[in-house]
Amino acid sequence: MTGDAPYDPDDDPELEALLRPVWDDVPELERLGIFADTGVDYEPDVAEVARKVAELAVTAEPYEDESGFLWQVTAAAVDEDGGRAAWVEWQENDRANVVIAHYWLKARDRDGRVARWEIETYNPYFGCRVGHLRWHGGAVVLVYADKHDTFVAAAARGEPVRWLQITPEWSVEGDVLAYRDGEGEHRLSLPSLEPMA
């Protein structure tokens, strides 16, 4: 998950005057970076993104875009004090002979652009069940299960996503993730995912 420092059109009044009317015509979800797989970032206010993500996380009906893809926010984590929002999006199109499905972890902080990571799963068609999505320090931590396995991922702006397989017997207490396997209990520090003694 990486992102550069955003360009601030407020630094260039002439450019801002040229771009703002164009940006105002962009549909709300695309402008906010939600349900969009484009690289264009309109750099919206993170509070506006957080409000919309929280609203969509409790909406039962998927959103259908103009290409026939269904989209839904399946989990959200909003840190109002830190001015950050993270969410998991599901995308699917079953109108072809083959079902196309994706799950995305997206995040936006007060200073950065939207960042996204396609969630690693056995097969997205079988789902991605989110068990934990929360900000820990400067990273968003996601614990999820697919058809066969359970994983933890930590994503911070400007860094590669850290990703590990764990077991279905896990818990999070503060900034510690614990899980049990045949060798006993393991503890990982969050968000680094480094083993603890």
Side-chain angles (χ1 to χ4, degrees):
M1 235 172 163
T2 60
D4 299 323
Y7 170 74
D8 186 355
D10 295 331
D11 292 341
D12 185 343
E14 288 180 27
L15 185 59
E16 179 183 11
L18 181 67
L19 289 178
R20 289 297 171 196
V22 174
W23 289 5
D24 290 342
D25 288 340
V26 174
E28 179 188 33
L29 293 175
E30 182 179 339
R31 185 177 55 76
L32 297 178
I34 303 168
F35 302 155
D37 56 4
T38 174
V40 176
D41 188 355
Y42 296 96
E43 301 172 15
D45 178 65
V46 72
E48 185 180 5
V49 173
R51 280 191 300 277
K52 191 65 176 182
V53 165
E55 173 190 322
L56 291 168
V58 297
T59 301
E61 291 298 315
Y63 166 79
E64 185 172 352
D65 69 16
E66 61 278 353
S67 299
F69 279 90
L70 299 177
W71 296 83
Q72 194 162 29
V73 172
T74 62
V78 175
D79 173 12
E80 291 181 16
D81 294 337
R84 324 180 271 191
W87 63 99
V88 173
E89 290 181 3
W90 161 79
Q91 176 195 33
E92 183 176 281
N93 186 333
D94 64 359
R95 292 184 178 194
N97 292 337
V98 177
V99 174
I100 300 167
H102 299 278
Y103 284 88
W104 303 95
L105 171 61
K106 292 187 177 180
R108 186 181 291 277
D109 66 22
R110 180 176 295 152
D111 300 323
R113 295 178 167 204
V114 68
R116 68 184 193 152
W117 175 64
E118 185 165 4
I119 297 172
E120 301 280 340
T121 64
Y122 166 77
N123 182 334
Y125 175 77
F126 294 110
C128 169
R129 295 172 308 283
V130 175
H132 176 85
L133 181 64
R134 188 175 312 146
W135 290 93
H136 292 267
V140 63
V141 174
L142 168 68
V143 179
Y144 67 97
D146 65 12
K147 181 179 180 182
H148 298 293
D149 300 304
T150 303
F151 303 93
V152 59
R157 190 170 59 132
E159 298 177 15
V161 173
R162 295 177 298 282
W163 180 72
L164 294 172
Q165 184 174 344
I166 59 174
T167 65
E169 295 182 47
W170 62 270
S171 64
V172 173
E173 192 77 35
D175 287 334
V176 176
L177 180 141
Y179 68 96
R180 297 189 69 68
D181 64 14
E183 298 175 9
E185 183 173 272
H186 305 274
R187 294 163 41 91
L188 303 176
S189 177
L190 299 177
S192 71
L193 305 187
E194 292 294 324
M196 300 174 69

